[in-house]
């Protein structure tokens, strides 16, 4: 163990040697923290070694956390290897450190791990690549949309969304409609917001009829982002959804689209018992730029919720 200290003449690192090699894992862990605080490249060798070799889980996990600030290729590779550690705490710490990396060079090291046999490794690798926005990860992410594990598919969708991969829109539309996992459908539905044309509208309309309200909520939001008036009728229909969360997003999107035919439905929503919905309805009515909304908004000026009253004032200022 002490042979690793032969490569440095740094007095501060050498002074930590007795504690770094102590039999007590608690002492070793604290010494590792002090070693990392030195921010000396010579200390990396020991941190990487302890991540791989220390017999105690808490020390290996600490080493993984401490390596988050370093993007040297050997460090990134060591963190990837730690994703296969038998201890969940070490795996989690390594995954967290990888997710904080920012360099393209780190992405090249992480990318091969997206094909690992272990599901948790694939998940962590794609999560790290999503944060990196590493362009070369696109092909691997498209392939992973067919992964047997839903969590891997969700992370792959995230990578494609962050990379704004328009070529992946047909595959994402398929997931939004057909994937058996609710969270995958929700994530894919949100990723369809990458589109700037009407080609994704059929998939989003279908998602607005999904059995899971979370998917319907995401569809209502995404229809507003895509920005096509053709989404208006489906969003008006969604104002009658059983879940107020879906109604709220539909209301917001109708305002964003400035969809004039929604006037009467939004006026009705202005009287809903849930104040958040009344607030969004008021704001949406202001966006429609239709004088027909003035009287209903004036009638709502004394609403019992101050946020609704504020939204009403904003809307009226837009219309008057």
């Amino acid at each position: 163990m002490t042979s690793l200290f032969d490569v440095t003449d740094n007095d501060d690192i050498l002074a930590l040697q007795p504690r770094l090699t102590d039999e007590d894992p608690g002492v070793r862990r604290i010494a590792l923290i002090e070693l990392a605080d030195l921010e000396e490249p010579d200390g990396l060798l020991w941190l990487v070694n302890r991540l791989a070799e220390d017999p105690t889980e808490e020390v290996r996990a600490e080493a993984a956390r401490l390596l988050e600030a370093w993007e040297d290729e050997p460090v990134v590779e060591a963190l990837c290897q730690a994703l296969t550690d038998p201890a969940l705490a070490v795996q989690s710490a390594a995954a967290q450190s990888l997710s904080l990396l920012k360099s393209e060079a780190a992405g090249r090291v992480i990318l091969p791990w997206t094909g690992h046999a272990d599901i948790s490794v694939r998940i962590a690798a794609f999560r790290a690549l999503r944060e990196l926005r590493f362009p070369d990860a696109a092909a691997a992410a498209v392939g992973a949309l067919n992964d047997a594990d839903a969590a891997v598919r969700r992370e792959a969708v995230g990578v494609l969304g962050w990379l704004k991969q328009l070529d992946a829109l047909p595959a994402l539309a398929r997931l939004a409609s057909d994937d058996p996992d609710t969270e995958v459908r929700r994530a894919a539905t949100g990723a369809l917001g990458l589109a700037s044309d009407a080609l994704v509208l059929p998939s989003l309309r279908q998602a607005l009829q999904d059995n899971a309200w979370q998917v319907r909520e995401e569809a209502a939001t995404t229809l507003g982002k895509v920005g096509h008036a053709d989404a208006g009728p489906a969003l008006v229909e969604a104002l009658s959804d059983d879940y107020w969360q879906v109604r709220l997003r539909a209301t917001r999107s109708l305002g964003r689209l400035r969809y004039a035919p929604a006037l009467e439905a939004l006026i009705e929503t202005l009287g809903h018992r849930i104040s958040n919905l009344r607030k969004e309805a008021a704001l949406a009515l202001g966006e429609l730029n239709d004088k027909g909304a003035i009287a209903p908004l004036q009638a709502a000026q004394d609403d019992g919720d101050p946020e609704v009253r504020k939204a009403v004032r904003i809307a009226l200022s837009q219309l008057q």
Side-chain angles (χ1 to χ4, degrees):
M1 188 178 285
T2 58
S3 62
L4 289 170
F5 292 95
D6 295 339
V7 301
T8 184
D9 57 3
N10 187 302
D11 290 338
D12 292 328
I13 294 177
L14 292 171
L16 287 171
Q17 178 178 352
R19 293 164 56 210
L20 287 167
T21 58
D22 196 277
E23 292 185 0
D24 186 334
V27 173
R28 297 199 304 276
R29 188 180 71 83
I30 298 302
L32 276 184
I33 295 172
E34 294 183 27
L35 176 64
D37 285 344
L38 296 176
E39 296 187 350
E40 293 287 347
D42 285 354
L44 278 181
L45 184 61
W46 188 257
L47 286 167
V48 168
N49 177 275
R50 291 301 84 201
L51 174 59
E53 302 293 343
D54 198 279
T56 303
E57 170 186 330
E58 66 172 328
V59 179
R60 298 196 305 277
E62 191 64 59
R65 284 189 288 270
L66 294 170
L67 286 169
E68 69 179 25
W70 300 91
E71 299 201 343
D72 305 59
E73 184 173 326
V75 174
V76 179
E77 183 64 36
L79 287 169
C80 289
Q81 290 285 353
L83 295 174
T84 65
D85 192 280
L88 181 59
V90 180
Q91 296 173 25
S92 298
Q96 174 63 18
S97 289
L98 286 169
S99 73
L100 298 174
L101 301 178
K102 302 299 181 186
S103 72
E104 187 169 308
R108 286 193 291 271
V109 177
I110 297 168
L111 184 57
W113 291 83
T114 60
H116 196 274
D118 192 303
I119 291 170
S120 65
V121 174
R122 299 200 299 277
I123 291 170
F126 276 119
R127 188 168 297 160
L129 289 168
R130 178 191 66 196
E131 299 300 324
L132 281 172
R133 301 190 185 188
F134 182 52
D136 290 354
V142 169
L145 294 180
N146 295 313
D147 197 280
D149 186 81
V152 177
R153 298 197 299 276
R154 287 199 302 272
E155 294 298 334
V157 168
V159 168
L160 294 169
W162 280 79
L163 289 176
K164 302 186 184 302
Q165 288 291 305
L166 297 178
D167 291 347
L169 284 172
L172 292 170
R174 174 181 56 80
L175 286 188
S177 300
D178 299 334
D179 197 276
D181 184 84
T182 296
E183 281 304 303
V184 174
R185 296 197 306 279
R186 184 198 62 76
T189 297
L192 291 177
L194 296 169
S196 57
D197 55 45
L199 291 178
V200 298
L201 292 185
S203 295
L204 288 171
R205 291 192 192 100
Q206 183 173 341
L208 206 52
Q209 304 296 322
D210 195 278
N211 291 331
W213 70 265
Q214 297 92 334
V215 178
R216 301 198 302 274
E217 178 187 36
E218 195 69 40
T221 302
T222 306
L223 282 167
K225 290 179 180 178
V226 173
H228 279 269
D230 289 347
L235 288 168
V236 170
E237 185 178 345
L239 293 179
S240 300
D241 195 277
D242 291 339
Y243 283 78
W244 69 266
Q245 295 93 332
V246 180
R247 294 186 182 193
L248 187 149
R249 298 297 182 90
T251 300
R252 187 176 297 170
S253 287
L254 285 166
R256 188 169 182 172
L257 293 175
R258 298 182 177 179
Y259 186 66
L263 177 65
E264 293 302 322
L266 290 173
I267 290 173
E268 183 178 348
T269 304
L270 190 60
H272 197 278
R273 61 183 178 80
I274 295 177
S275 61
N276 279 347
L277 260 176
R278 299 198 302 275
K279 170 187 170 183
E280 290 296 336
L283 293 172
L285 286 167
E287 293 293 336
L288 294 191
N289 196 29
D290 189 320
K291 300 298 184 183
I294 292 177
L297 286 167
Q298 289 175 332
Q301 288 181 105
D302 296 325
D303 192 280
D305 188 293
E307 289 298 313
V308 177
R309 295 198 299 271
K310 179 180 177 181
V312 167
R313 289 195 299 271
I314 292 171
L316 286 171
S317 71
Q318 291 176 285
L319 296 171
Q320 293 176 330

